[in-house]
Amino acid sequence: MTTKHEQPTVFELSSTGRAGFRFPQPDVPSAELDPALERSDLPMPELSELDVVRHFTLLSELNYAVDLGFYPLGSCTMKYNPKICERTARMPGFSQLHPAQPIETLQGALLLVYEMQDILQKVSGFTAGSLTPAAGAQGEFCGVKMIAAYHADRKNDRRKVMLIPDSAHGTNPASSVMSGFTVKPVPTDARGNIDLDGLRALCNEDLAGIMITNPNTLGLFDENIDQVTGLIHQAGGLVYGDGANMNALLGVVKPAELGFDVLHFNLHKTFATPHGGGGPGAGAVVCTDTLAPFLPGPLAAVLEPATEELPPLYGWKMPEKSIGRVGAFSGHFAVIVRAYTYCLMQGADGMRRIAEHAALNANYLMHALKNAYPLPYDRTCMHEFVLDAKWEDAPGVRALDVAKRLMDYKFHPPTNYFPLIVHEALMIEPTETESKQTLDAFIEAMLAIAREAHEQPELLHGAPFTTPFGRMDEVKAAKDLKLTA
Ligand SMILES: *Cc1c(COP(=O)(O)O)cnc(C)c1O
């Protein structure tokens, strides 16, 4: 690793006697502290307010962020997060609630959760839903657990195989295995669809279901989706939809109408919530009437209908055969507030515009780049597309080199080495919130890097040169993890 940046720690900056805050004189009698709680061996840095503000502001400048520039991270949907969503999430009426308060004092929050369940059902075409899962992966875990519970409820204990296309996100096999399924991969055909012959060969009495991402992680809408869901249902299985990235379908296609039985949304991707650094998120699950009794709880529900004098009373309800709770209380409420704000800002027309612009922006980039970078699946894409950064006349250059070099051009690198079926994958998702000027600047940088790959490949191997830290030894970072100073 090349290091050009040395930021002292707060302990190195510490200066004895310095303080940023002084406690006022107490206006109550002092009390003795339990000596067992006293510690003299706990080092605390001593800093002024200015020291602290500068330290953390400098640290924040080392990070790249969607508030600083374009973030074309495929499959992870890093779009502009409207600041009004932050304002609403911080409103005291939302942020100062405690989930254990009596429900009579939580009616506004419960109404919001209830309406968000309803919005997600309308958008997806399903009739039931739960907002409790804390992330996409947890939503998947719930969905496949619901499929397991459905088969168990029908006393069918043979169905233990979950099919997963080889283009799938890594969380899909992980959720299936955690739920007790055996995973079998389904091949992808030359056009990037699920291979129907390969699928037929796997449909039998052991089949529990399939997990499908559509558009898939190549950014392609499966052209045979009706046949795929039909084959699974004929064989007695159920269809799970990985709806982590629904940007391309909103207001245009309802997954329930494609034959899906259960689907999760990533509110933190599709509906604008900042989610760098691993969270927090919300992996809402929606499903058909058949699977509704198995949903994780609690769900927001009308406990007492409205009367002439009174509005309805909202509260929490556990579905009758629920797979249970997947966290304390009722999910990441502040994420739900942000997503709800975003949905209300859009309205039904706006939802459709999200999908149109997400697909338009991705196709615009794809067409501008496909003569400079190999494009393994060359057809109209949805919200993202995958290039293969591998040139016969520049054999030493890899996707990682292109990704690192982009940092010198002040762009966040796209997702790379995923999906696994494209070896030097660069997975690019511009999102619907970027302007043509930003996309054009990105195209210019990508074309310049493709030229460098041929003319100065050694330059790419050394990149990035302009960031506070140079190229990391990623193997060492993973194998020799040090999380403390
Ligand atoms: C992001 C993503 C997930 C996992 O979501 P998390 O919230 O990160 O757990 C699952 N599937 C796909 C296709 C994704 O893009």
Side-chain angles (χ1 to χ4, degrees), residues 244-275:
N245 307 285
M246 285 288 288
N247 303 34
L249 302 192
L250 293 179
V252 183
V253 173
K254 294 183 177 174
E257 292 171 3
L258 300 177
F260 288 86
D261 298 289
V262 49
L263 171 121
H264 85 268
F265 282 95
N266 275 16
L267 302 191
H268 48 294
K269 291 181 186 171
T270 305
F271 298 113
T273 278
H275 60 106

PDB file of all heavy atoms in Angstrom, residues 244-275:
ATOM      1  N   ALA A 244     -34.144  -6.289  -4.867  1.00  0.00           N
ATOM      2  CA  ALA A 244     -33.266  -5.302  -4.234  1.00  0.00           C
ATOM      3  C   ALA A 244     -33.218  -4.018  -5.055  1.00  0.00           C
ATOM      4  O   ALA A 244     -33.235  -2.925  -4.517  1.00  0.00           O
ATOM      5  CB  ALA A 244     -31.868  -5.881  -4.061  1.00  0.00           C
ATOM      6  N   ASN A 245     -33.161  -4.185  -6.376  1.00  0.00           N
ATOM      7  CA  ASN A 245     -33.060  -3.027  -7.258  1.00  0.00           C
ATOM      8  C   ASN A 245     -34.289  -2.983  -8.157  1.00  0.00           C
ATOM      9  O   ASN A 245     -34.306  -3.582  -9.221  1.00  0.00           O
ATOM     10  CB  ASN A 245     -31.795  -3.112  -8.107  1.00  0.00           C
ATOM     11  CG  ASN A 245     -30.571  -3.329  -7.242  1.00  0.00           C
ATOM     12  OD1 ASN A 245     -30.104  -2.419  -6.583  1.00  0.00           O
ATOM     13  ND2 ASN A 245     -30.087  -4.562  -7.206  1.00  0.00           N
ATOM     14  N   MET A 246     -35.303  -2.264  -7.721  1.00  0.00           N
ATOM     15  CA  MET A 246     -36.562  -2.234  -8.476  1.00  0.00           C
ATOM     16  C   MET A 246     -36.665  -0.985  -9.340  1.00  0.00           C
ATOM     17  O   MET A 246     -37.705  -0.743  -9.958  1.00  0.00           O
ATOM     18  CB  MET A 246     -37.747  -2.296  -7.509  1.00  0.00           C
ATOM     19  CG  MET A 246     -37.989  -3.676  -6.922  1.00  0.00           C
ATOM     20  SD  MET A 246     -38.671  -4.802  -8.138  1.00  0.00           S
ATOM     21  CE  MET A 246     -40.333  -4.122  -8.266  1.00  0.00           C
ATOM     22  N   ASN A 247     -35.589  -0.210  -9.395  1.00  0.00           N
ATOM     23  CA  ASN A 247     -35.640   1.073 -10.104  1.00  0.00           C
ATOM     24  C   ASN A 247     -36.177   0.959 -11.520  1.00  0.00           C
ATOM     25  O   ASN A 247     -36.846   1.857 -12.000  1.00  0.00           O
ATOM     26  CB  ASN A 247     -34.240   1.696 -10.193  1.00  0.00           C
ATOM     27  CG  ASN A 247     -33.619   1.890  -8.837  1.00  0.00           C
ATOM     28  OD1 ASN A 247     -33.849   1.077  -7.949  1.00  0.00           O
ATOM     29  ND2 ASN A 247     -32.870   2.944  -8.653  1.00  0.00           N
ATOM     30  N   ALA A 248     -35.837  -0.149 -12.195  1.00  0.00           N
ATOM     31  CA  ALA A 248     -36.216  -0.256 -13.600  1.00  0.00           C
ATOM     32  C   ALA A 248     -37.662  -0.704 -13.787  1.00  0.00           C
ATOM     33  O   ALA A 248     -38.195  -0.613 -14.886  1.00  0.00           O
ATOM     34  CB  ALA A 248     -35.280  -1.222 -14.319  1.00  0.00           C
ATOM     35  N   LEU A 249     -38.307  -1.193 -12.758  1.00  0.00           N
ATOM     36  CA  LEU A 249     -39.664  -1.743 -12.920  1.00  0.00           C
ATOM     37  C   LEU A 249     -40.759  -0.844 -12.362  1.00  0.00           C
ATOM     38  O   LEU A 249     -41.927  -0.974 -12.744  1.00  0.00           O
ATOM     39  CB  LEU A 249     -39.769  -3.121 -12.245  1.00  0.00           C
ATOM     40  CG  LEU A 249     -38.816  -4.220 -12.705  1.00  0.00           C
ATOM     41  CD1 LEU A 249     -39.266  -5.559 -12.132  1.00  0.00           C
ATOM     42  CD2 LEU A 249     -38.725  -4.314 -14.217  1.00  0.00           C
ATOM     43  N   LEU A 250     -40.401   0.052 -11.455  1.00  0.00           N
ATOM     44  CA  LEU A 250     -41.412   0.858 -10.749  1.00  0.00           C
ATOM     45  C   LEU A 250     -42.420   1.478 -11.714  1.00  0.00           C
ATOM     46  O   LEU A 250     -42.046   2.149 -12.672  1.00  0.00           O
ATOM     47  CB  LEU A 250     -40.739   1.995  -9.966  1.00  0.00           C
ATOM     48  CG  LEU A 250     -39.867   1.591  -8.786  1.00  0.00           C
ATOM     49  CD1 LEU A 250     -39.257   2.835  -8.145  1.00  0.00           C
ATOM     50  CD2 LEU A 250     -40.667   0.804  -7.758  1.00  0.00           C
ATOM     51  N   GLY A 251     -43.685   1.254 -11.444  1.00  0.00           N
ATOM     52  CA  GLY A 251     -44.728   1.895 -12.247  1.00  0.00           C
ATOM     53  C   GLY A 251     -44.892   1.304 -13.635  1.00  0.00           C
ATOM     54  O   GLY A 251     -45.714   1.770 -14.413  1.00  0.00           O
ATOM     55  N   VAL A 252     -44.080   0.295 -13.985  1.00  0.00           N
ATOM     56  CA  VAL A 252     -44.165  -0.297 -15.326  1.00  0.00           C
ATOM     57  C   VAL A 252     -44.554  -1.780 -15.238  1.00  0.00           C
ATOM     58  O   VAL A 252     -45.487  -2.218 -15.906  1.00  0.00           O
ATOM     59  CB  VAL A 252     -42.815  -0.171 -16.086  1.00  0.00           C
ATOM     60  CG1 VAL A 252     -42.944  -0.731 -17.495  1.00  0.00           C
ATOM     61  CG2 VAL A 252     -42.353   1.282 -16.126  1.00  0.00           C
ATOM     62  N   VAL A 253     -43.837  -2.521 -14.411  1.00  0.00           N
ATOM     63  CA  VAL A 253     -44.077  -3.962 -14.306  1.00  0.00           C
ATOM     64  C   VAL A 253     -44.333  -4.325 -12.844  1.00  0.00           C
ATOM     65  O   VAL A 253     -43.608  -3.875 -11.957  1.00  0.00           O
ATOM     66  CB  VAL A 253     -42.829  -4.754 -14.797  1.00  0.00           C
ATOM     67  CG1 VAL A 253     -43.010  -6.248 -14.535  1.00  0.00           C
ATOM     68  CG2 VAL A 253     -42.584  -4.497 -16.271  1.00  0.00           C
ATOM     69  N   LYS A 254     -45.382  -5.116 -12.600  1.00  0.00           N
ATOM     70  CA  LYS A 254     -45.646  -5.592 -11.243  1.00  0.00           C
ATOM     71  C   LYS A 254     -45.185  -7.043 -11.131  1.00  0.00           C
ATOM     72  O   LYS A 254     -45.726  -7.917 -11.814  1.00  0.00           O
ATOM     73  CB  LYS A 254     -47.139  -5.502 -10.936  1.00  0.00           C
ATOM     74  CG  LYS A 254     -47.628  -4.070 -10.892  1.00  0.00           C
ATOM     75  CD  LYS A 254     -49.074  -3.980 -10.521  1.00  0.00           C
ATOM     76  CE  LYS A 254     -49.449  -2.502 -10.434  1.00  0.00           C
ATOM     77  NZ  LYS A 254     -50.869  -2.305 -10.216  1.00  0.00           N
ATOM     78  N   PRO A 255     -44.218  -7.308 -10.273  1.00  0.00           N
ATOM     79  CA  PRO A 255     -43.676  -8.678 -10.180  1.00  0.00           C
ATOM     80  C   PRO A 255     -44.756  -9.737  -9.931  1.00  0.00           C
ATOM     81  O   PRO A 255     -44.647 -10.853 -10.432  1.00  0.00           O
ATOM     82  CB  PRO A 255     -42.702  -8.594  -9.009  1.00  0.00           C
ATOM     83  CG  PRO A 255     -42.278  -7.160  -8.977  1.00  0.00           C
ATOM     84  CD  PRO A 255     -43.473  -6.361  -9.421  1.00  0.00           C
ATOM     85  N   ALA A 256     -45.819  -9.397  -9.193  1.00  0.00           N
ATOM     86  CA  ALA A 256     -46.868 -10.402  -8.933  1.00  0.00           C
ATOM     87  C   ALA A 256     -47.468 -10.881 -10.254  1.00  0.00           C
ATOM     88  O   ALA A 256     -47.832 -12.047 -10.395  1.00  0.00           O
ATOM     89  CB  ALA A 256     -47.948  -9.818  -8.037  1.00  0.00           C
ATOM     90  N   GLU A 257     -47.541  -9.972 -11.236  1.00  0.00           N
ATOM     91  CA  GLU A 257     -48.139 -10.340 -12.520  1.00  0.00           C
ATOM     92  C   GLU A 257     -47.206 -11.192 -13.370  1.00  0.00           C
ATOM     93  O   GLU A 257     -47.622 -11.775 -14.370  1.00  0.00           O
ATOM     94  CB  GLU A 257     -48.561  -9.070 -13.282  1.00  0.00           C
ATOM     95  CG  GLU A 257     -49.726  -8.378 -12.583  1.00  0.00           C
ATOM     96  CD  GLU A 257     -50.053  -6.998 -13.142  1.00  0.00           C
ATOM     97  OE1 GLU A 257     -49.400  -6.574 -14.130  1.00  0.00           O
ATOM     98  OE2 GLU A 257     -50.946  -6.349 -12.581  1.00  0.00           O
ATOM     99  N   LEU A 258     -45.937 -11.238 -13.002  1.00  0.00           N
ATOM    100  CA  LEU A 258     -44.985 -12.087 -13.730  1.00  0.00           C
ATOM    101  C   LEU A 258     -44.978 -13.507 -13.169  1.00  0.00           C
ATOM    102  O   LEU A 258     -44.267 -14.360 -13.668  1.00  0.00           O
ATOM    103  CB  LEU A 258     -43.569 -11.514 -13.634  1.00  0.00           C
ATOM    104  CG  LEU A 258     -43.328 -10.117 -14.193  1.00  0.00           C
ATOM    105  CD1 LEU A 258     -41.884  -9.703 -13.947  1.00  0.00           C
ATOM    106  CD2 LEU A 258     -43.642 -10.075 -15.686  1.00  0.00           C
ATOM    107  N   GLY A 259     -45.728 -13.730 -12.093  1.00  0.00           N
ATOM    108  CA  GLY A 259     -45.769 -15.081 -11.521  1.00  0.00           C
ATOM    109  C   GLY A 259     -44.914 -15.253 -10.285  1.00  0.00           C
ATOM    110  O   GLY A 259     -44.702 -16.370  -9.816  1.00  0.00           O
ATOM    111  N   PHE A 260     -44.419 -14.143  -9.716  1.00  0.00           N
ATOM    112  CA  PHE A 260     -43.663 -14.259  -8.463  1.00  0.00           C
ATOM    113  C   PHE A 260     -44.635 -14.493  -7.311  1.00  0.00           C
ATOM    114  O   PHE A 260     -45.777 -14.042  -7.351  1.00  0.00           O
ATOM    115  CB  PHE A 260     -42.847 -12.988  -8.205  1.00  0.00           C
ATOM    116  CG  PHE A 260     -41.669 -12.836  -9.122  1.00  0.00           C
ATOM    117  CD1 PHE A 260     -41.799 -12.253 -10.376  1.00  0.00           C
ATOM    118  CD2 PHE A 260     -40.415 -13.287  -8.737  1.00  0.00           C
ATOM    119  CE1 PHE A 260     -40.716 -12.124 -11.235  1.00  0.00           C
ATOM    120  CE2 PHE A 260     -39.321 -13.160  -9.585  1.00  0.00           C
ATOM    121  CZ  PHE A 260     -39.475 -12.575 -10.837  1.00  0.00           C
ATOM    122  N   ASP A 261     -44.174 -15.195  -6.278  1.00  0.00           N
ATOM    123  CA  ASP A 261     -45.004 -15.460  -5.099  1.00  0.00           C
ATOM    124  C   ASP A 261     -44.605 -14.587  -3.915  1.00  0.00           C
ATOM    125  O   ASP A 261     -45.423 -14.276  -3.064  1.00  0.00           O
ATOM    126  CB  ASP A 261     -44.877 -16.935  -4.696  1.00  0.00           C
ATOM    127  CG  ASP A 261     -45.378 -17.846  -5.800  1.00  0.00           C
ATOM    128  OD1 ASP A 261     -46.585 -17.889  -6.022  1.00  0.00           O
ATOM    129  OD2 ASP A 261     -44.536 -18.489  -6.476  1.00  0.00           O
ATOM    130  N   VAL A 262     -43.333 -14.235  -3.844  1.00  0.00           N
ATOM    131  CA  VAL A 262     -42.834 -13.427  -2.734  1.00  0.00           C
ATOM    132  C   VAL A 262     -41.613 -12.662  -3.235  1.00  0.00           C
ATOM    133  O   VAL A 262     -40.877 -13.153  -4.097  1.00  0.00           O
ATOM    134  CB  VAL A 262     -42.517 -14.315  -1.491  1.00  0.00           C
ATOM    135  CG1 VAL A 262     -41.673 -15.509  -1.859  1.00  0.00           C
ATOM    136  CG2 VAL A 262     -41.848 -13.523  -0.370  1.00  0.00           C
ATOM    137  N   LEU A 263     -41.435 -11.453  -2.722  1.00  0.00           N
ATOM    138  CA  LEU A 263     -40.366 -10.591  -3.228  1.00  0.00           C
ATOM    139  C   LEU A 263     -39.895  -9.674  -2.105  1.00  0.00           C
ATOM    140  O   LEU A 263     -40.689  -9.291  -1.248  1.00  0.00           O
ATOM    141  CB  LEU A 263     -40.937  -9.743  -4.376  1.00  0.00           C
ATOM    142  CG  LEU A 263     -40.096  -8.620  -4.957  1.00  0.00           C
ATOM    143  CD1 LEU A 263     -39.883  -8.898  -6.460  1.00  0.00           C
ATOM    144  CD2 LEU A 263     -40.751  -7.255  -4.826  1.00  0.00           C
ATOM    145  N   HIS A 264     -38.601  -9.341  -2.097  1.00  0.00           N
ATOM    146  CA  HIS A 264     -38.182  -8.294  -1.150  1.00  0.00           C
ATOM    147  C   HIS A 264     -37.761  -7.058  -1.921  1.00  0.00           C
ATOM    148  O   HIS A 264     -37.270  -7.139  -3.044  1.00  0.00           O
ATOM    149  CB  HIS A 264     -37.053  -8.776  -0.222  1.00  0.00           C
ATOM    150  CG  HIS A 264     -35.680  -8.631  -0.791  1.00  0.00           C
ATOM    151  ND1 HIS A 264     -35.042  -9.621  -1.491  1.00  0.00           N
ATOM    152  CD2 HIS A 264     -34.810  -7.593  -0.762  1.00  0.00           C
ATOM    153  CE1 HIS A 264     -33.848  -9.212  -1.862  1.00  0.00           C
ATOM    154  NE2 HIS A 264     -33.680  -7.982  -1.448  1.00  0.00           N
ATOM    155  N   PHE A 265     -38.015  -5.925  -1.295  1.00  0.00           N
ATOM    156  CA  PHE A 265     -37.528  -4.631  -1.794  1.00  0.00           C
ATOM    157  C   PHE A 265     -36.366  -4.220  -0.907  1.00  0.00           C
ATOM    158  O   PHE A 265     -36.386  -4.486   0.292  1.00  0.00           O
ATOM    159  CB  PHE A 265     -38.575  -3.544  -1.548  1.00  0.00           C
ATOM    160  CG  PHE A 265     -39.729  -3.508  -2.485  1.00  0.00           C
ATOM    161  CD1 PHE A 265     -40.921  -4.138  -2.171  1.00  0.00           C
ATOM    162  CD2 PHE A 265     -39.649  -2.777  -3.656  1.00  0.00           C
ATOM    163  CE1 PHE A 265     -42.011  -4.049  -3.012  1.00  0.00           C
ATOM    164  CE2 PHE A 265     -40.742  -2.687  -4.500  1.00  0.00           C
ATOM    165  CZ  PHE A 265     -41.923  -3.316  -4.198  1.00  0.00           C
ATOM    166  N   ASN A 266     -35.388  -3.538  -1.459  1.00  0.00           N
ATOM    167  CA  ASN A 266     -34.424  -2.843  -0.616  1.00  0.00           C
ATOM    168  C   ASN A 266     -34.853  -1.385  -0.590  1.00  0.00           C
ATOM    169  O   ASN A 266     -34.597  -0.648  -1.544  1.00  0.00           O
ATOM    170  CB  ASN A 266     -33.007  -2.965  -1.166  1.00  0.00           C
ATOM    171  CG  ASN A 266     -32.320  -4.244  -0.735  1.00  0.00           C
ATOM    172  OD1 ASN A 266     -32.980  -5.168  -0.273  1.00  0.00           O
ATOM    173  ND2 ASN A 266     -31.016  -4.291  -0.866  1.00  0.00           N
ATOM    174  N   LEU A 267     -35.511  -0.974   0.484  1.00  0.00           N
ATOM    175  CA  LEU A 267     -35.940   0.428   0.544  1.00  0.00           C
ATOM    176  C   LEU A 267     -34.730   1.342   0.445  1.00  0.00           C
ATOM    177  O   LEU A 267     -34.812   2.443  -0.095  1.00  0.00           O
ATOM    178  CB  LEU A 267     -36.701   0.703   1.846  1.00  0.00           C
ATOM    179  CG  LEU A 267     -37.950  -0.138   2.114  1.00  0.00           C
ATOM    180  CD1 LEU A 267     -38.731   0.440   3.281  1.00  0.00           C
ATOM    181  CD2 LEU A 267     -38.834  -0.239   0.891  1.00  0.00           C
ATOM    182  N   HIS A 268     -33.588   0.882   0.986  1.00  0.00           N
ATOM    183  CA  HIS A 268     -32.384   1.715   0.997  1.00  0.00           C
ATOM    184  C   HIS A 268     -31.721   1.800  -0.373  1.00  0.00           C
ATOM    185  O   HIS A 268     -30.819   2.597  -0.556  1.00  0.00           O
ATOM    186  CB  HIS A 268     -31.392   1.211   2.051  1.00  0.00           C
ATOM    187  CG  HIS A 268     -31.165  -0.270   1.996  1.00  0.00           C
ATOM    188  ND1 HIS A 268     -32.131  -1.180   2.290  1.00  0.00           N
ATOM    189  CD2 HIS A 268     -30.068  -0.994   1.682  1.00  0.00           C
ATOM    190  CE1 HIS A 268     -31.645  -2.404   2.166  1.00  0.00           C
ATOM    191  NE2 HIS A 268     -30.399  -2.317   1.790  1.00  0.00           N
ATOM    192  N   LYS A 269     -32.115   1.011  -1.330  1.00  0.00           N
ATOM    193  CA  LYS A 269     -31.578   1.195  -2.682  1.00  0.00           C
ATOM    194  C   LYS A 269     -32.618   1.873  -3.564  1.00  0.00           C
ATOM    195  O   LYS A 269     -32.396   2.934  -4.115  1.00  0.00           O
ATOM    196  CB  LYS A 269     -31.192  -0.156  -3.290  1.00  0.00           C
ATOM    197  CG  LYS A 269     -29.989  -0.794  -2.626  1.00  0.00           C
ATOM    198  CD  LYS A 269     -29.649  -2.121  -3.300  1.00  0.00           C
ATOM    199  CE  LYS A 269     -28.532  -2.826  -2.552  1.00  0.00           C
ATOM    200  NZ  LYS A 269     -28.327  -4.191  -3.062  1.00  0.00           N
ATOM    201  N   THR A 270     -33.778   1.232  -3.667  1.00  0.00           N
ATOM    202  CA  THR A 270     -34.783   1.711  -4.617  1.00  0.00           C
ATOM    203  C   THR A 270     -35.402   3.038  -4.189  1.00  0.00           C
ATOM    204  O   THR A 270     -35.709   3.875  -5.025  1.00  0.00           O
ATOM    205  CB  THR A 270     -35.872   0.634  -4.777  1.00  0.00           C
ATOM    206  OG1 THR A 270     -35.239  -0.578  -5.153  1.00  0.00           O
ATOM    207  CG2 THR A 270     -36.881   1.030  -5.828  1.00  0.00           C
ATOM    208  N   PHE A 271     -35.589   3.231  -2.891  1.00  0.00           N
ATOM    209  CA  PHE A 271     -36.321   4.413  -2.444  1.00  0.00           C
ATOM    210  C   PHE A 271     -35.471   5.399  -1.645  1.00  0.00           C
ATOM    211  O   PHE A 271     -35.957   6.020  -0.699  1.00  0.00           O
ATOM    212  CB  PHE A 271     -37.558   3.988  -1.639  1.00  0.00           C
ATOM    213  CG  PHE A 271     -38.523   3.174  -2.446  1.00  0.00           C
ATOM    214  CD1 PHE A 271     -38.748   1.843  -2.149  1.00  0.00           C
ATOM    215  CD2 PHE A 271     -39.197   3.732  -3.521  1.00  0.00           C
ATOM    216  CE1 PHE A 271     -39.636   1.081  -2.909  1.00  0.00           C
ATOM    217  CE2 PHE A 271     -40.086   2.976  -4.278  1.00  0.00           C
ATOM    218  CZ  PHE A 271     -40.307   1.651  -3.975  1.00  0.00           C
ATOM    219  N   ALA A 272     -34.185   5.505  -2.017  1.00  0.00           N
ATOM    220  CA  ALA A 272     -33.362   6.596  -1.523  1.00  0.00           C
ATOM    221  C   ALA A 272     -33.211   6.664  -0.005  1.00  0.00           C
ATOM    222  O   ALA A 272     -33.929   7.381   0.668  1.00  0.00           O
ATOM    223  CB  ALA A 272     -33.889   7.942  -2.021  1.00  0.00           C
ATOM    224  N   THR A 273     -32.285   5.912   0.503  1.00  0.00           N
ATOM    225  CA  THR A 273     -31.814   6.106   1.873  1.00  0.00           C
ATOM    226  C   THR A 273     -30.314   5.908   1.806  1.00  0.00           C
ATOM    227  O   THR A 273     -29.862   4.970   1.171  1.00  0.00           O
ATOM    228  CB  THR A 273     -32.436   5.056   2.817  1.00  0.00           C
ATOM    229  OG1 THR A 273     -33.741   5.477   3.191  1.00  0.00           O
ATOM    230  CG2 THR A 273     -31.637   4.916   4.083  1.00  0.00           C
ATOM    231  N   PRO A 274     -29.523   6.791   2.402  1.00  0.00           N
ATOM    232  CA  PRO A 274     -28.079   6.581   2.336  1.00  0.00           C
ATOM    233  C   PRO A 274     -27.726   5.243   2.978  1.00  0.00           C
ATOM    234  O   PRO A 274     -28.279   4.910   4.028  1.00  0.00           O
ATOM    235  CB  PRO A 274     -27.494   7.740   3.152  1.00  0.00           C
ATOM    236  CG  PRO A 274     -28.623   8.496   3.706  1.00  0.00           C
ATOM    237  CD  PRO A 274     -29.906   7.935   3.214  1.00  0.00           C
ATOM    238  N   HIS A 275     -26.854   4.459   2.338  1.00  0.00           N
ATOM    239  CA  HIS A 275     -26.562   3.149   2.912  1.00  0.00           C
ATOM    240  C   HIS A 275     -25.122   2.743   2.718  1.00  0.00           C
ATOM    241  O   HIS A 275     -24.800   1.598   2.514  1.00  0.00           O
ATOM    242  CB  HIS A 275     -27.519   2.082   2.378  1.00  0.00           C
ATOM    243  CG  HIS A 275     -27.486   1.887   0.891  1.00  0.00           C
ATOM    244  ND1 HIS A 275     -26.904   0.797   0.312  1.00  0.00           N
ATOM    245  CD2 HIS A 275     -27.968   2.630  -0.118  1.00  0.00           C
ATOM    246  CE1 HIS A 275     -27.042   0.877  -1.011  1.00  0.00           C
ATOM    247  NE2 HIS A 275     -27.673   1.984  -1.292  1.00  0.00           N
TER     248      HIS A 275
END
